Amino acid sequence: MLVLLPPSEGKAVPGRGAPLDPAALSLPGLSRARAAVLEELVELCSADQDKAREVLGLSEGLRGEVAKNTGLRTAAARPAGEIYTGVLYDALGLATLDAAAGRRARRSLLVFSGLWGAVRVDDRIPSYRCSMGVRLPGLGALGAYWREPMAAVLPEAAGDGPVLDLRSAAYASAWKPKGELAGRTATVRVLHAPTRKVVSHFNKATKGRMVRSLLADGAAPRSPGELVEALRDLGYVVEAEAPVRPGKAWALDVLVDEVH
C-alpha cells in the first residue's frame, strides 16, 4: 500500500548535519524537476526578499523563511519525517513507532512537496518554505509544473496495491491517479458524525492516527475494499463508496464524534 501525505507548513529546523544530497533522494525520476525548482527558489529568495515573500505568500513576520531558503544547498538536512511537523505528523508519531512499523512507514509513506515533488520519510532534506500553491516566476504554478514528472514516476512507485490518498487539494493537483490505478485509490474525508460536516483541525489528527494505526497493526490490504475492512477492524467508522465508472477513485468517509 502507498500512502500519500501532504507536508506541513511549519517545519523543524535541524541543528548541525550534512547538507542535502539531491542524488540520494528517492524517486530519482524527479531529479531534474527538483533541481529546477530548487535553483529558482534559491535565486528568487537571494535576489529580492520582498518579492520572494510576496511570491511565497508569507507575512512580514515570516521574512526569516525567505532567508532560510537562500541557504538550502548548504543547510543541515534531516529525514523528512523529522522535518515535517504539525497536527497530522504529531498524531502519526513516526519517532515512537516500533522497528517493524518504522520500516513499513519508510516503505509506504510518500510526502508531497512544492519543492521536492514527493519524498519518502527517510529522505534527508533541509527545512524550507515553498508550498504547492506557489507560482514561481520562471516555472509557473507548481501544482501544474509537477504533473508531468509525477505522471512519469508515481505509477511505478504505487506498484499493484491500493493507494490511500490523504493529500489536501493543493497537493492533489500535482498528481491524479489515472485509469486502473485510480480504481485502486481511496480518498478520505473526515466528517463529524452527528452533523456530517467536514471537520478541519481534527481532520488532520484523524488522518495521522489512521496511518499510525495501519502501520502499527501491520495491515497489508491488497485492495481498497480490504483497506476499508482493515480500518473498521481498527475501530474506525468508515463509509465507503466504490467507483461508479473506470478511472474514478474510491471515496471513504471517516466519521468522528470529536471536532476539536
Side-chain angles (χ1 to χ4, degrees), residues 18-259:
L20 169 74
D21 178 4
L25 296 177
S26 301
L27 307 176
L30 300 177
S31 294
R32 182 176 297 180
R34 288 169 175 153
V37 179
L38 178 61
E39 180 177 3
E40 180 160 355
L41 181 62
V42 171
E43 181 178 341
L44 169 71
C45 292
S46 300
D48 185 334
Q49 288 202 355
D50 288 328
K51 179 180 178 181
R53 191 165 56 82
E54 180 181 351
V55 169
L56 296 175
L58 302 176
S59 66
E60 176 64 32
L62 293 174
R63 180 178 290 272
E65 298 291 285
V66 176
K68 183 170 67 177
N69 280 349
T70 66
L72 288 174
R73 293 191 177 93
T74 56
R78 294 293 298 167
E82 298 178 19
I83 294 294
Y84 295 119
T85 60
V87 175
L88 188 153
Y89 290 91
D90 287 347
L92 174 53
L94 288 169
T96 60
L97 292 171
D98 64 30
R103 288 192 295 271
R104 288 188 283 271
R106 292 188 290 274
R107 187 170 59 245
S108 63
L109 304 186
L110 200 61
V111 185
F112 274 59
S113 163
L115 174 53
W116 314 114
V119 291
R120 302 282 186 184
V121 293
D122 57 346
D123 282 330
R124 295 178 65 260
I125 59 174
S127 182
Y128 67 96
R129 192 66 173 244
C130 183
S131 72
M132 193 65 80
V134 164
R135 180 182 293 273
L136 291 176
L139 298 179
L142 290 177
Y145 171 80
W146 281 111
R147 285 173 197 156
E148 184 175 345
M150 292 284 203
V153 170
L154 291 192
E156 181 179 356
D160 58 3
V163 176
L164 177 58
D165 189 353
L166 303 178
R167 297 172 296 167
S168 56
Y171 290 90
S173 71
W175 181 60
K176 182 178 180 180
K178 304 287 186 182
E180 181 269 339
L181 179 54
R184 290 191 274 117
T185 299
T187 62
V188 174
R189 296 189 305 174
V190 180
L191 303 181
H192 182 217
T195 64
R196 303 196 66 80
K197 291 183 178 179
V198 175
V199 300
S200 53
H201 171 94
F202 202 65
N203 165 65
K204 296 178 180 179
T206 299
K207 289 178 177 178
R209 290 169 188 158
M210 281 174 48
V211 176
R212 182 181 178 88
S213 297
L214 290 166
L215 294 171
D217 182 69
R222 294 168 295 179
S223 67
E226 290 188 10
L227 171 61
V228 171
E229 292 307 312
L231 288 170
R232 288 172 175 163
D233 288 344
L234 289 166
Y236 293 92
V237 179
V238 182
E239 295 179 352
E241 182 178 339
V244 295
R245 59 181 182 275
K248 295 294 183 180
W250 283 64
L252 309 187
D253 286 342
V254 178
L255 306 182
V256 297
D257 292 323
E258 301 174 270
V259 293

Side-chain angles (χ1 to χ4, degrees), residues 4-20:
L4 310 181
L5 297 174
S8 59
E9 287 295 327
K11 299 173 183 69
V13 179
R16 296 181 179 181
L20 169 74

